[in-house]
Amino acid sequence: MSEEKTQPVSHFIKEIIKKDLEDNKNGSRVHTRFPPEPNGYLHIGHAKSICLNFGIAKEFNGLCNLRFDDTNPVKEELEYVESIKEDVRWLGFDWEDRLYFASDYFEQFYQAALQLIKDGLAYVDHLTADQIREYRGTLTQPGKPSPYRDRTIEENLALFEKMKNGDFEEGECILRAKIDMASPNINMRDPAVYRILKASHHRTGDKWCIYPMYDFAHGLEDSIEKITHSICTLEFEDHRPLYDWFLEKLNVFHPQQIEFARLNLTYTVMSKRKLLRLVKENIVSGWDDPRMPTIAGLRRRGYTPEAIRTFCEMIGVGKSESTVDLALLEYCLREDLNKRAPRAMAVLRPLKVTITNYPEGKVEQLEALNNPEDESMGVRMIPFSRVIYIEQDDFMENPPKKYFRLSPGAEVRLKHAYYITCDEVLKDSSGQPVELLCSYDPATKGGWSQDGRKVKGTLHWVSVDHAVDAEVRIYENLFNKPNPEDAEEGKDFLSNLNPNSLEIIADSKVEPGLMEMPARTSLQFLRHGYFTIDPDSKNGKLVFNRAVSLKDTWAKIQRNTSE
Ligand code: ATP
Ligand code: MG
């Protein structure tokens, strides 16, 4: 793992942990966990939680578990389990031998539920789902007790046994905790503990037809694993009294739940349900589509683990909901790749240039620095010859003032090569330039003139005979509103899709050395941005994803807000 440029900063969770260590709470142990539900791929919001949980363990000499919270058999799949493991590892974290599945604790959950029943703290309720909702009351009105609330312990044990044996249908009855139907906290109004789901589980098969509810299971999972600090997002704040109630009543090891504000990003949806819709409705090519905010999507796009970790460090950890500007994430990637990505030349939309005074058949290998930010990255040789491609955009027949690129009679520098002057423009029948005839000055080798003559424009180029074919995919935000949820009446977030989020440039040309580079290599294409080689590359044609442009919109936002 390379060194982060951002030093870890403190935040309220670290302060709680420091205090606990001082007080010798938990025997001075720090043990956290990252508990994804395997019902989708991980996204950048999860990365915040991963960096937080694994980061704290590392900083305080503690441990962090990876635990799959797989208590709902209906939406969970093995594919998700595998992708989550891959993504956590790729982000640079290691759970060592502490990979757990909540489903491995099903028997313990069941025994705990029996314990609650035996202590008179849980009952089997035969109200329908609608009735339960009705009896629960509202924020302003207390609930009322179910007519089944006072069943005897023996009756409840027998009924729960029947639930477990599959003698009831789904929805016929549930096991509820007996707490307080008048509690101002609705979560405490006799919440469900177990429900009947006649579904196969991806790990336990058909062994169970009753499954524990999240609030009951999660605290027990933490307790079984002797987690000291159970860090979760703010929406669980109102569930904390219930988390505490279960652990207290069961008289088991009691971790401390601490809530922090989830990450929201502009132009991004983060709910797994919505991301699943984008995938299922083929709006994107899959969970790893480079426009997705998933870790797999960001990786394919060209994000590095370092950039994501730096981002998670920079956004901090707090208690109030906010939305982070996507430009900050892009800034983190640009900063990282600026230091590490080798430079290369790619002509996205080629225009042929023949250098008429350059000998036919001659090829020169010209030296180019791989990264001016880091000379230790060395040099490479690029072939130069009589016919090259430049960018269509780098030529204008009738240029405005201050146009420093190529135009008839103008002289420019070809990066790493020579000065050339445009002598003649060849056009097709519609008047479009198809080829430029230029002449070069042999005394400007390397791109520097000996007589001190200066040119303002520097163009990138590739040699026609040596260039490699490439497809270049340029991505824009998937949504065209900073808050994609902000949809018109009767419409949803899909109405805010950006129709131009993907542009494919099919006939680009890149320098030959790139052919040898493995998929996922990051590069800076001069003047175009940072790109990565996509695994779709095949048959001599490279496919590149633009990870991020060179334009630093974050610096601009910073400047505007500090003015
Ligand atoms: P869903 O979208 O299905 O409600 P989830 O995003 O909460 O699910 P989980 O798999 O339960 O997904 O999340 C695993 C962990 O990641 C949880 O501890 C959760 O709090 C945390 N997490 C999820 N989304 C974010 C986010 N946007 N920012 C920070 N942490 C998050
Ligand atoms: Mg969740």
Side-chain angles (χ1 to χ4, degrees):
M1 205 191 277
S2 82
E3 276 309 301
E4 247 74 87
K5 73 178 171 66
T6 316
Q7 289 308 308
V9 281
S10 197
H11 50 65
F12 80 99
I13 300 182
K14 289 189 191 175
E15 294 307 315
I16 293 174
I17 292 176
K18 282 181 202 158
K19 174 96 187 11
D20 287 349
L21 286 173
E22 270 167 36
D23 296 348
N24 200 21
K25 198 178 161 188
N26 303 308
S28 294
R29 279 186 317 117
V30 174
H31 202 151
T32 56
R33 85 285 176 264
F34 173 64
E37 186 183 347
N39 62 349
Y41 278 57
L42 296 181
H43 53 59
I44 182 75
H46 292 117
K48 176 175 180 179
S49 176
I50 294 167
C51 291
L52 179 58
N53 280 294
F54 281 93
I56 279 177
K58 189 169 167 209
E59 189 171 338
F60 294 98
N61 259 321
L63 301 170
C64 180
N65 297 354
L66 174 61
R67 180 206 308 147
F68 287 99
D69 207 337
D70 58 349
T71 52
N72 181 355
V74 185
K75 296 186 206 152
E76 297 164 359
E77 285 175 31
L78 200 63
E79 176 196 348
Y80 299 138
V81 170
E82 290 310 314
S83 75
I84 289 169
K85 289 192 328 204
E86 182 184 357
D87 291 349
V88 174
R89 241 184 251 122
W90 179 78
L91 279 173
F93 300 104
D94 185 0
W95 54 87
E96 296 167 325
D97 56 354
R98 295 177 312 282
L99 172 67
Y100 299 112
F101 290 86
S103 54
D104 288 344
Y105 311 141
F106 279 168
E107 182 60 33
Q108 278 153 288
F109 299 155
Y110 178 70
Q111 292 300 330
L114 286 179
Q115 188 61 50
L116 288 178
I117 298 174
K118 287 177 192 158
D119 292 341
L121 295 171
Y123 60 98
V124 174
D125 194 352
H126 270 81
L127 289 182
T128 64
D130 283 343
Q131 287 170 322
I132 288 177
R133 213 168 298 123
E134 192 190 312
Y135 276 66
R136 189 178 292 131
T138 62
L139 284 174
T140 50
Q141 293 214 309
K144 56 181 183 182
S146 159
Y148 303 102
R149 196 172 197 261
D150 290 321
R151 280 174 159 158
T152 64
I153 291 172
E154 289 66 34
E155 198 182 348
N156 281 318
L157 284 172
L159 288 170
F160 189 49
E161 172 89 18
K162 286 182 80 175
M163 275 174 69
K164 178 186 175 235
N165 293 338
D167 296 343
F168 295 119
E169 292 310 310
E170 277 185 24
E172 222 180 314
C173 51
I174 59 168
L175 183 72
R176 298 177 74 174
K178 197 168 178 176
I179 309 181
D180 179 4
M181 287 307 291
S183 172
N185 182 343
I186 293 188
N187 294 306
M188 300 299 275
R189 295 184 189 169
D190 291 10
V193 175
Y194 260 95
R195 63 189 154 161
I196 300 167
L197 279 176
K198 299 205 166 167
S200 281
H201 185 278
H202 72 108
R203 287 177 55 94
T204 58
D206 293 323
K207 176 152 190 252
W208 298 89
C209 64
I210 52 170
Y211 289 91
M213 303 303 292
Y214 178 88
D215 282 328
F216 171 65
H218 198 84
L220 278 173
E221 294 159 24
D222 288 340
S223 178
I224 291 166
E225 294 174 15
K226 297 285 187 292
I227 298 303
T228 56
H229 300 85
S230 172
I231 301 168
C232 61
T233 38
L234 276 183
E235 68 272 22
F236 291 103
E237 197 163 24
D238 291 344
H239 297 240
R240 183 169 8 109
L242 183 53
Y243 182 99
D244 290 337
W245 188 89
F246 281 126
L247 297 179
E248 217 170 278
K249 296 299 173 193
L250 290 165
N251 194 25
V252 290
F253 179 77
H254 195 147
Q256 179 184 2
Q257 176 179 306
I258 305 169
E259 310 86 15
F260 72 100
R262 64 170 49 233
L263 167 67
N264 302 299
L265 260 189
T266 55
Y267 299 99
T268 307
V269 297
M270 214 93 90
S271 131
K272 280 189 271 188
R273 198 171 45 77
K274 292 185 178 131
L275 296 176
L276 182 65
R277 268 191 75 188
L278 294 170
V279 173
K280 285 267 146 80
E281 295 177 27
N282 294 317
I283 293 162
V284 295
S285 64
W287 284 99
D288 70 343
D289 185 298
R291 291 165 295 178
M292 290 283 271
T294 51
I295 305 299
L298 293 168
R299 175 167 61 233
R300 187 153 183 194
R301 173 89 169 239
Y303 270 83
T304 60
E306 289 82 358
I308 295 176
R309 291 198 302 262
T310 301
F311 171 74
C312 290
E313 194 64 46
M314 281 181 80
I315 57 178
V317 176
K319 269 274 185 194
S320 54
E321 287 285 351
S322 66
T323 301
V324 174
D325 203 304
L326 183 58
L328 177 61
L329 180 61
E330 296 179 340
Y331 166 84
C332 291
L333 181 62
R334 216 177 270 121
E335 286 287 293
D336 184 33
L337 293 183
N338 182 39
K339 282 182 271 135
R340 301 197 295 148
R343 275 49 174 170
M345 295 199 286
V347 175
L348 304 196
R349 294 181 180 82
L351 173 62
K352 200 162 131 184
V353 172
T354 299
I355 300 160
T356 50
N357 59 338
Y358 194 88
E360 252 173 85
K362 177 173 173 179
V363 179
E364 272 181 284
Q365 297 293 333
L366 302 175
E367 189 177 278
L369 207 52
N370 283 328
N371 186 348
E373 300 285 322
D374 180 359
E375 299 208 355
S376 74
M377 287 173 67
V379 296
R380 67 188 183 287
M381 305 308 283
I382 311 172
F384 182 79
S385 64
R386 181 179 155 93
V387 189
I388 61 169
Y389 291 121
I390 65 166
E391 209 68 63
Q392 286 172 18
D393 274 359
D394 282 339
F395 172 76
M396 271 183 102
E397 193 172 13
N398 300 299
K401 265 191 195 140
K402 297 207 170 169
Y403 182 82
F404 300 125
R405 291 172 268 170
L406 206 54
S407 58
E411 184 173 48
V412 296
R413 171 190 296 113
L414 293 177
K415 183 84 179 173
H416 307 304
Y418 294 98
Y419 284 13
I420 57 166
T421 302
C422 177
D423 305 316
E424 203 181 331
V425 187
L426 307 182
K427 299 180 201 170
D428 64 13
S429 53
S430 69
Q432 279 299 312
V434 288
E435 185 179 343
L436 308 178
L437 303 182
C438 298
S439 44
Y440 86 118
D441 176 356
T444 55
K445 188 164 176 177
W448 307 105
S449 83
Q450 321 229 317
D451 60 10
R453 185 167 94 249
K454 290 207 168 64
V455 289
K456 285 209 167 133
T458 300
L459 311 188
H460 58 272
W461 54 274
V462 290
S463 162
V464 168
D465 279 347
H466 304 89
V468 172
D469 291 337
E471 174 181 311
V472 176
R473 300 173 182 170
I474 307 283
Y475 302 97
E476 299 294 343
N477 297 337
L478 192 49
F479 295 96
N480 51 25
K481 271 203 184 154
N483 176 9
E485 312 286 350
D486 175 18
E488 277 170 41
E489 183 81 22
K491 293 189 174 169
D492 66 7
F493 70 107
L494 293 181
S495 64
N496 290 324
L497 278 170
N498 172 9
N500 305 315
S501 59
L502 169 60
E503 181 193 4
I504 295 178
I505 307 171
D507 303 306
S508 301
K509 304 284 179 183
V510 300
E511 50 172 271
L514 306 191
M515 204 62 204
E516 271 105 71
M517 295 185 174
R520 303 205 188 281
T521 303
S522 293
L523 299 153
Q524 187 200 92
F525 286 164
L526 296 182
R527 304 165 70 215
H528 284 306
Y530 293 98
F531 290 74
T532 190
I533 303 178
D534 192 89
D536 275 354
S537 304
K538 57 173 175 283
N539 304 335
K541 183 156 186 169
L542 290 170
V543 177
F544 292 94
N545 297 315
R546 186 175 73 182
V548 66
S549 72
L550 291 173
K551 202 165 49 192
D552 186 357
T553 46
W554 177 248
K556 195 167 154 218
I557 292 165
Q558 294 300 86
R559 245 179 286 123
N560 289 346
T561 47
S562 63
E563 263 161 21

